[in-house]
Amino acid sequence: ENAKIEILKRQEEHKTEFDEEYIEKAAKNIGYGAVKYYDLRQNRISQYKFGFKLILDNKGNTAVYLLYSYVNMCSIFNKAKMSKDDISKLIQNEKFKITNKKERELLLCLFKLNDVLDEILVDLNLNRLTDYVYAIAVKFNELYTDNSCHIIGNEHTNSRLLLIELTKKFFELSFQLLGLEPIEKI
């Protein structure tokens, strides 16, 4: 219910229209995902403090923050008017060209997935995966908000769109491992 209230509030603020079915689905994904994620990100030997306000915060290491980041990735492709077929062609025909420090930092963060999974298998601390996904979200948002690294409308657009697509795929895999359902718009 709290997630639905936030979606309706955001819909009104941004003057967007979602049908009732989508609002229900998104609220369910956000609500359940927020509780699951909050639970999984706790270190099994640390104190546990539960609160809906903490769980549904859209800043910090929460599912809501991750889902907003994922939505931003989807919106980049919408703004670039890229269909799934266009993205597939881009993947087949283009190459990465890292030209900005923020791109490099995001890519290096993405490369750590195997190490994180190995650490989880050794010490069974699943919160390592939540910390990893959060780190990717932070690096993505630093890139996304960096005025010196425009994603669309320059000679590096295709390379940056490839990086965003790769990041999106890492998010989808991580969401699947954590039992979260992504949403494409809020």
Side-chain angles (χ1 to χ4, degrees), residues 8-186:
L8 293 171
K9 206 185 309 180
R10 187 168 169 85
Q11 178 177 309
E12 190 175 305
E13 286 173 7
H14 295 278
K15 304 207 183 338
T16 56
E17 286 294 320
F18 301 125
D19 61 39
E20 188 62 33
E21 183 180 330
Y22 183 80
I23 291 171
E24 289 297 326
K25 178 186 174 202
K28 182 179 175 185
N29 289 358
I30 291 170
Y32 287 135
V35 173
K36 281 181 191 178
Y37 184 84
Y38 187 78
D39 218 20
L40 293 171
R41 82 175 183 95
Q42 305 303 315
N43 186 320
R44 66 178 190 254
I45 59 171
S46 65
Q47 293 289 328
Y48 187 96
K49 183 179 179 183
F50 184 87
F52 284 116
K53 193 169 187 155
L54 265 169
I55 291 170
L56 289 172
D57 192 359
N58 64 356
K59 294 176 181 73
N61 192 355
T62 66
V64 178
Y65 179 76
L66 300 179
L67 290 168
Y68 273 113
S69 298
Y70 185 82
V71 166
N72 285 337
M73 290 175 215
C74 294
S75 74
I76 289 169
F77 289 104
N78 289 337
K79 287 177 188 170
K81 295 178 176 52
M82 300 278 298
S83 68
K84 292 190 187 281
D85 288 338
D86 294 333
I87 295 167
S88 294
K89 288 176 187 171
L90 189 68
I91 291 168
Q92 292 172 356
N93 300 322
E94 294 292 330
K95 294 181 181 172
F96 279 115
K97 184 176 182 185
I98 303 303
T99 60
N100 183 287
K101 179 182 174 187
K102 300 293 182 190
E103 291 173 306
R104 184 177 190 281
E105 290 172 356
L106 175 57
L107 193 57
L108 288 174
C109 193
L110 292 172
F111 286 151
K112 294 178 184 177
L113 177 64
N114 285 337
D115 294 335
V116 171
L117 293 175
D118 286 343
E119 290 171 4
I120 291 169
L121 291 173
V122 169
D123 63 16
L124 302 178
N125 283 332
L126 197 55
N127 63 303
R128 290 183 186 276
L129 181 58
T130 60
D131 292 343
Y132 169 74
V133 181
Y134 175 66
I136 291 173
V138 168
K139 293 299 179 190
F140 163 73
N141 284 306
E142 287 174 358
L143 172 77
Y144 182 65
T145 58
D146 185 354
N147 290 331
S148 69
C149 188
H150 296 285
I151 297 169
I152 300 172
N154 61 63
E155 70 272 15
H156 306 296
T157 294
N158 287 345
S159 178
R160 290 180 180 159
L161 286 173
L162 282 174
L163 180 58
I164 302 304
E165 179 63 15
L166 180 63
T167 305
K168 193 173 158 218
K169 294 296 182 196
F170 270 75
F171 261 70
E172 290 167 357
L173 173 63
S174 299
F175 284 171
Q176 187 177 21
L177 292 171
L178 293 167
L180 304 178
E181 290 286 327
I183 53 177
E184 295 194 1
K185 50 189 171 182
I186 297 179

